Amino acid sequence: MMEAGIHFGHGTRKWNPRMAPYISAKHKGIHITNLTRTARFLSEACDLVFDAASRGKQFLIVGTKNKAADLVVRAAIRARCHYVNKKWLGGMLTNWSTTEARLHKFRDLRTEQKTGRLHRLPKRDAAMLKRQLSRLQTYLGGIKYMTRVPDIVIIVDQQEEYTALRECITLGIPTICLIDTNCDPDLADISIPANDDAIASIRLILNKLVFAIYVSKTQIGEEYGPWVPFIGTMFLFIFVSNWSGALLPWKIIQLPHGELAAPTNDINTTVALALLTSVAYFYAGLSKKGLGYFSKYIQPTPILLPINILEDFTKPLSLSFRLFGNILADELVVVVLVSLVPLVVPIPVMFLGLFTSGIQALIFATLAAAYIGESMEGHH
């Protein structure tokens, strides 16, 4: 933390007396922050965001000054959070109905731009809408997917973002603030005493918080837990069936044009597994979001509803071709191995079958889990 300059505060003339417990010394007219306190409160903040992220809470990161703007964007993208990095519009949270209306307008303009409708308008009207879209992108681009007020707000500079902090206090939204020696530590729920002017200091604090959010989100939480048996069953079926095919003498369980006697050696079997994944894909989305899950299919126009559904339903079919291609490669390697080591064929074939079966099962199960996760997150 010392390398990042977190301990450097403001000049001794520019300080808030309430920060006295967080200041350890003075050096050349500058207050020095107590890093022990910083580490303690940073740890508490990380625990808070980790727990909140595991329960699906929404985060908003706010930092509009030039030194923090780019860092805020990168941190928010990494943690899949909302952010404000240009200008805080007064009433953004306390007057949420107005903000929501602006977001709807923003989404409509983006849709018109993507579909090319703006180009069909008169030049004057198109130019006016493009300027409006540019302004909305600047101020609302970081919250364009936000559907409600956030559960936790992370503020980089308390003095700079005082309006945002007051709105959070009014609404009772928990806040985590990076505070320098000129701030009031009693305003935020968790105040992290640190240098809010140094890029390295801001980056370090944000990285710690974002890492806690990222780790929590990437772990298997309660909402994904019910899918573990399904994914595990897929893995075990492919692994055991292929491994059995490698162990059993050839021709005992012979499928059409099959040589290793493995059920997944047949393209029809892999297609059936892929279609089962398709059904799970839709069920996962519907179980989490209900009929509202289908709203994504009517964008940008309701006419595309059947096409979008068909595209999503057939998407997991790529799993079958990947699996079947791996099996063909498996057979090719076995043939080469048998020709090179004719005297100890059973041993290498068994070990090769174990290895390749595990890889195939892992690839299929991982991709199936990715599709189900995509459906539950609402991506398209």
Side-chain angles (χ1 to χ4, degrees):
M1 287 194 288
M2 292 189 70
E3 291 181 0
I6 289 180
H7 58 296
F8 291 120
H10 283 278
T12 54
R13 294 182 180 180
K14 298 179 181 179
W15 77 301
N16 190 318
R18 293 183 180 178
M19 284 294 295
Y22 306 93
I23 297 173
S24 61
K26 299 178 184 178
H27 180 69
K28 295 182 179 180
I30 296 177
H31 277 128
I32 303 300
T33 302
N34 187 332
L35 292 182
T36 303
R37 289 289 188 97
T38 301
R40 183 184 123 198
F41 287 111
L42 179 58
S43 177
E44 289 182 6
C46 288
D47 290 341
L48 173 65
V49 298
F50 181 90
D51 181 64
S54 67
R55 291 184 283 115
K57 300 297 184 181
Q58 287 193 15
F59 297 88
L60 174 65
I61 304 178
V62 182
T64 60
K65 63 183 182 182
N66 293 334
K67 290 182 179 180
D70 292 338
L71 298 176
V72 165
V73 175
R74 285 197 289 268
I77 292 175
R78 183 182 172 193
R80 288 182 293 174
C81 300
H82 310 295
Y83 67 90
V84 175
N85 74 324
K86 291 299 181 182
K87 180 183 178 181
W88 182 270
L89 302 178
M92 186 176 286
L93 297 182
T94 51
N95 193 6
W96 176 248
S97 58
T98 300
T99 302
E100 200 169 23
R102 290 174 178 171
L103 288 173
H104 281 304
K105 178 64 175 178
F106 180 33
R107 296 187 193 109
D108 291 342
L109 287 175
R110 290 180 74 233
T111 301
E112 290 182 5
Q113 185 183 48
K114 289 180 179 179
T115 56
R117 290 180 60 187
L118 290 182
H119 299 292
R120 295 194 291 269
L121 296 174
K123 289 185 178 181
R124 183 177 179 179
D125 295 340
M128 182 183 65
L129 291 177
K130 285 179 180 178
R131 285 195 299 271
Q132 186 177 359
L133 178 60
S134 178
R135 286 195 301 270
L136 291 173
Q137 175 63 43
T138 299
Y139 300 123
L140 302 179
I143 62 170
K144 57 178 174 287
Y145 298 119
M146 195 161 74
T147 56
R148 56 183 173 82
V149 294
D151 299 296
I152 294 179
V153 176
I154 300 172
I155 297 176
V156 171
D157 186 336
Q158 186 190 93
Q159 293 288 86
E160 188 79 17
E161 317 302 341
Y162 186 74
T163 304
L165 179 59
R166 294 306 306 178
E167 290 191 27
C168 293
I169 294 173
T170 301
L171 296 175
I173 301 173
T175 55
I176 298 172
C177 279
L178 194 156
I179 58 170
D180 213 324
T181 55
N182 63 336
C183 298
D184 184 350
D186 298 330
L187 292 178
D189 292 274
I190 295 183
S191 296
I192 305 173
N195 185 351
D196 61 11
D197 293 318
I199 293 177
S201 173
I202 298 171
R203 183 190 296 115
L204 191 148
I205 299 295
L206 284 180
N207 283 347
K208 294 292 184 182
L209 295 172
V210 163
F211 182 74
I213 297 172
Y214 175 79
V215 169
S216 180
K217 284 186 175 182
T218 52
Q219 288 184 344
I220 298 177
E222 293 181 1
E223 60 181 342
Y224 296 100
W227 290 100
V228 174
F230 174 79
I231 300 299
T233 301
M234 299 278 277
F235 175 86
L236 289 175
F237 175 79
I238 298 170
F239 178 78
V240 173
S241 60
N242 283 2
W243 180 223
S244 300
L247 278 177
L248 294 175
W250 295 355
K251 309 299 182 182
I252 287 184
I253 309 176
Q254 183 177 9
L255 292 172
H257 308 293
E259 296 180 4
L260 289 183
T264 48
N265 196 41
D266 185 0
I267 188 65
N268 294 321
T269 307
T270 61
V271 168
L273 290 174
L275 290 177
L276 181 62
T277 304
S278 296
V279 174
Y281 178 90
F282 280 101
Y283 178 77
L286 288 172
S287 63
K288 182 176 181 181
K289 301 187 177 181
L291 295 178
Y293 171 74
F294 289 102
S295 62
K296 69 175 186 176
Y297 292 116
I298 61 176
Q299 301 294 335
T301 171
I303 300 176
L304 297 177
L305 175 65
I307 298 176
N308 288 334
I309 292 179
L310 181 62
E311 179 186 1
D312 261 12
F313 188 76
T314 55
K315 186 192 304 182
L317 283 176
S318 63
L319 291 170
S320 63
F321 298 109
R322 297 188 192 198
L323 180 64
F324 193 63
N326 289 334
I327 294 173
L328 294 179
D330 175 14
E331 291 191 5
L332 179 61
V333 173
V334 170
V335 171
V336 173
L337 185 61
V338 169
S339 63
L340 292 178
V341 195
L343 297 179
V344 285
V345 168
I347 295 178
V349 167
M350 288 173 59
F351 280 104
L352 181 64
L354 178 63
F355 176 73
T356 54
S357 296
I359 294 298
Q360 292 161 13
L362 182 62
I363 292 174
F364 193 96
T366 301
L367 291 174
Y371 283 128
I372 291 172
E374 174 187 302
S375 176
M376 296 182 74
E377 290 294 332
H379 300 307
H380 183 56

